[in-house]
Short mmCIF file of all heavy atoms in Angstrom, two decimals:
data_model
loop_
_atom_site.label_atom_id
_atom_site.label_comp_id
_atom_site.label_asym_id
_atom_site.label_seq_id
_atom_site.Cartn_x
_atom_site.Cartn_y
_atom_site.Cartn_z
N ILE P 417 37.12 -17.24 36.65
CA ILE P 417 37.27 -16.58 35.24
C ILE P 417 38.52 -17.13 34.47
O ILE P 417 39.64 -17.21 35.04
CB ILE P 417 37.47 -15.05 35.48
CG1 ILE P 417 36.50 -14.55 36.33
CG2 ILE P 417 37.46 -14.40 33.99
CD1 ILE P 417 35.01 -14.53 35.87
N ASP P 418 38.25 -17.65 33.35
CA ASP P 418 39.37 -18.07 32.46
C ASP P 418 39.80 -16.90 31.63
O ASP P 418 39.11 -16.26 30.86
CB ASP P 418 38.80 -19.19 31.44
CG ASP P 418 39.86 -19.70 30.60
OD1 ASP P 418 40.96 -19.13 30.49
OD2 ASP P 418 39.65 -20.78 29.88
N GLU P 419 40.99 -16.48 32.03
CA GLU P 419 41.54 -15.11 31.52
C GLU P 419 42.29 -15.37 30.23
O GLU P 419 42.73 -14.31 29.49
CB GLU P 419 42.54 -14.54 32.43
CG GLU P 419 42.00 -14.37 33.91
CD GLU P 419 41.14 -13.13 34.00
OE1 GLU P 419 41.05 -12.34 33.19
OE2 GLU P 419 40.62 -12.89 35.27
N ARG P 420 42.37 -16.55 29.73
CA ARG P 420 43.18 -16.79 28.47
C ARG P 420 42.17 -16.50 27.30
O ARG P 420 40.95 -16.97 27.34
CB ARG P 420 43.57 -18.26 28.38
CG ARG P 420 44.45 -18.58 29.55
CD ARG P 420 44.65 -20.13 29.48
NE ARG P 420 43.32 -20.80 29.69
CZ ARG P 420 43.16 -22.18 29.75
NH1 ARG P 420 44.18 -22.95 29.74
NH2 ARG P 420 41.88 -22.66 29.95
N GLY P 421 42.69 -15.77 26.32
CA GLY P 421 41.81 -15.34 25.21
C GLY P 421 40.59 -14.47 25.71
O GLY P 421 40.74 -13.60 26.64
N ASP P 422 39.38 -14.61 25.00
CA ASP P 422 38.27 -13.90 25.54
C ASP P 422 37.97 -14.36 26.92
O ASP P 422 37.88 -15.64 27.06
CB ASP P 422 37.07 -14.03 24.58
CG ASP P 422 36.57 -15.45 24.36
OD1 ASP P 422 37.47 -16.40 24.56
OD2 ASP P 422 35.51 -15.63 24.08
N ARG P 423 37.66 -13.56 27.86
CA ARG P 423 37.41 -13.97 29.24
C ARG P 423 36.08 -14.73 29.41
O ARG P 423 35.05 -14.43 28.72
CB ARG P 423 37.40 -12.74 30.13
CG ARG P 423 38.78 -12.10 29.91
CD ARG P 423 38.73 -10.59 30.74
NE ARG P 423 38.70 -10.87 32.13
CZ ARG P 423 37.89 -10.51 33.09
NH1 ARG P 423 36.90 -9.74 32.54
NH2 ARG P 423 38.02 -10.63 34.36
N ARG P 424 36.09 -15.81 30.08
CA ARG P 424 34.99 -16.66 30.27
C ARG P 424 34.74 -16.96 31.68
O ARG P 424 35.69 -17.24 32.47
CB ARG P 424 35.09 -17.98 29.43
CG ARG P 424 34.85 -17.71 27.95
CD ARG P 424 35.15 -18.81 27.11
NE ARG P 424 35.05 -18.57 25.72
CZ ARG P 424 33.99 -18.97 24.94
NH1 ARG P 424 33.06 -19.65 25.44
NH2 ARG P 424 33.85 -18.54 23.71
N VAL P 425 33.47 -17.22 31.91
CA VAL P 425 33.11 -17.67 33.39
C VAL P 425 33.05 -19.18 33.33
O VAL P 425 32.38 -19.92 32.61
CB VAL P 425 31.67 -17.19 33.89
CG1 VAL P 425 31.34 -17.64 35.11
CG2 VAL P 425 31.58 -15.65 33.68
N ARG P 426 33.91 -19.83 34.23
CA ARG P 426 33.96 -21.31 34.24
C ARG P 426 32.90 -21.70 35.14
O ARG P 426 32.85 -21.71 36.42
CB ARG P 426 35.27 -21.70 34.82
CG ARG P 426 36.51 -21.48 33.87
CD ARG P 426 37.72 -21.62 34.71
NE ARG P 426 38.96 -21.64 34.00
CZ ARG P 426 40.08 -21.29 34.36
NH1 ARG P 426 40.29 -20.83 35.59
NH2 ARG P 426 41.09 -21.39 33.53
N MET P 427 31.80 -22.38 34.60
CA MET P 427 30.65 -22.85 35.36
C MET P 427 30.86 -23.95 36.28
O MET P 427 30.26 -24.06 37.33
CB MET P 427 29.46 -23.08 34.42
CG MET P 427 29.01 -21.88 33.52
SD MET P 427 28.75 -20.44 34.47
CE MET P 427 27.12 -20.63 35.07
N GLY P 428 31.85 -24.81 35.86
CA GLY P 428 32.25 -25.90 36.71
C GLY P 428 32.90 -25.45 38.03
O GLY P 428 32.55 -25.94 39.11
N ASN P 429 33.74 -24.36 37.97
CA ASN P 429 34.32 -23.85 39.11
C ASN P 429 33.40 -23.18 39.99
O ASN P 429 33.41 -23.35 41.23
CB ASN P 429 35.57 -22.90 38.66
CG ASN P 429 36.69 -23.54 37.95
OD1 ASN P 429 36.61 -24.78 37.68
ND2 ASN P 429 37.79 -23.02 37.93
#
Side-chain angles (χ1 to χ4, degrees):
I417 310 297
D418 185 345
E419 308 275 355
R420 302 166 303 179
D422 63 334
R423 303 174 68 238
R424 284 169 183 260
V425 182
R426 293 166 166 154
M427 302 307 280
N429 291 15

